[in-house]
Amino acid sequence: MKTDLSKYNNSWYQPGGRLKILLWYLTNVLFFQNSLNPSSELKVALLKLFGAKIGEGVVIKPGVNIKYPWKLEIGNHTWIGEKVWIDNLGEVKIGSNVCISQGAMLLCGNHNYKKLTFDLIVQNITLEDGVWIGAQSVVCPGVICKSHSILSVSSVANKNLEAYKVYQGNPAVKVRPRIVDEIATSANAS
């Protein structure tokens, strides 16, 4: 058997009304992907207008691409770096104090290569509090990055990441524990 893309049909997938998607597409191009708009406050307000749940102190850098804001939840004091792509065909939940570095991708969609119709597969992604997704890294559909886990630069997470562990490579493997220096953190606060 061979793949036959002429039989591909994802009509079952309805992420929102056509007008809503069109309005978001234009907003995304003008205010998010456009590198000339550095204002995080405006981006946060627009995301909320389109149904995203956003906490306080969220920083969104220029060049970010978000597929569907009504499928996005972001906690407090989270940073989203330049040219991050949140391809949230499914729900994406990002906790508080999360850092998503430049060029990282959160991908909720995939295709079933075992079917000749190449069916769309959609799964959610969760980044718990304190997670750091390194530059140019990829988080695959269905992955949960547990509290304070790190996905190193240019790595690919295709399975869940354990809490307080550092992962590296493609596919990402656990390389060491993440130790947060509380003494230095409290000294810097004073």
Side-chain angles (χ1 to χ4, degrees):
M1 297 228 123
K2 295 182 180 178
T3 300
D4 184 356
L5 295 180
S6 70
K7 298 190 184 315
Y8 177 76
N9 180 353
N10 70 340
S11 60
W12 61 269
Y13 182 71
Q14 301 294 325
R18 287 180 189 234
L19 181 59
K20 182 179 189 179
I21 291 171
L22 176 63
L23 288 173
W24 171 250
Y25 176 81
L26 295 172
T27 302
N28 194 27
V29 168
L30 292 172
F31 296 100
F32 287 79
Q33 295 177 32
N34 182 346
S35 297
L36 299 176
N37 176 24
S39 171
S40 286
E41 293 81 11
L42 176 59
K43 292 175 198 166
V44 166
L46 289 167
L47 285 171
K48 287 179 178 180
L49 182 68
F50 278 90
K53 296 176 183 136
I54 311 287
E56 296 177 10
V58 171
V59 174
I60 302 172
K61 295 292 190 172
V64 171
N65 185 7
I66 298 170
K67 182 75 88 180
Y68 301 125
W70 49 92
K71 293 178 167 281
L72 180 62
E73 184 177 325
I74 303 174
N76 299 320
H77 306 289
T78 286
W79 301 344
I80 300 176
E82 291 89 349
K83 299 191 180 193
V84 165
W85 182 16
I86 301 176
D87 190 26
N88 57 334
L89 297 171
E91 301 290 326
V92 170
K93 292 184 180 173
I94 301 169
S96 295
N97 303 298
V98 171
C99 178
I100 305 173
S101 295
Q102 302 87 337
M105 296 190 292
L106 308 182
L107 306 176
C108 290
N110 204 344
H111 293 277
N112 188 343
Y113 64 87
K114 295 179 182 178
K115 291 193 170 191
L116 76 110
T117 52
F118 209 52
D119 295 352
L120 178 65
I121 300 169
V122 176
Q123 294 178 299
N124 301 334
I125 290 175
T126 301
L127 308 180
E128 293 182 355
D129 293 347
V131 166
W132 180 12
I133 304 300
Q136 302 293 321
S137 291
V138 177
V139 179
C140 293
V143 169
I144 299 171
C145 298
K146 299 284 188 171
S147 176
H148 294 80
S149 59
I150 295 176
L151 182 63
S152 298
V153 171
S154 295
S155 296
V156 178
N158 61 3
K159 294 188 170 135
N160 294 347
L161 306 185
E162 294 176 34
Y164 288 93
K165 303 291 185 222
V166 178
Y167 288 79
Q168 182 176 11
N170 180 7
V173 294
K174 184 174 25 174
V175 294
R176 66 183 152 277
R178 178 184 186 183
I179 299 167
V180 178
D181 186 357
E182 293 182 39
I183 295 169
T185 303
S186 11
N188 289 336
S190 47

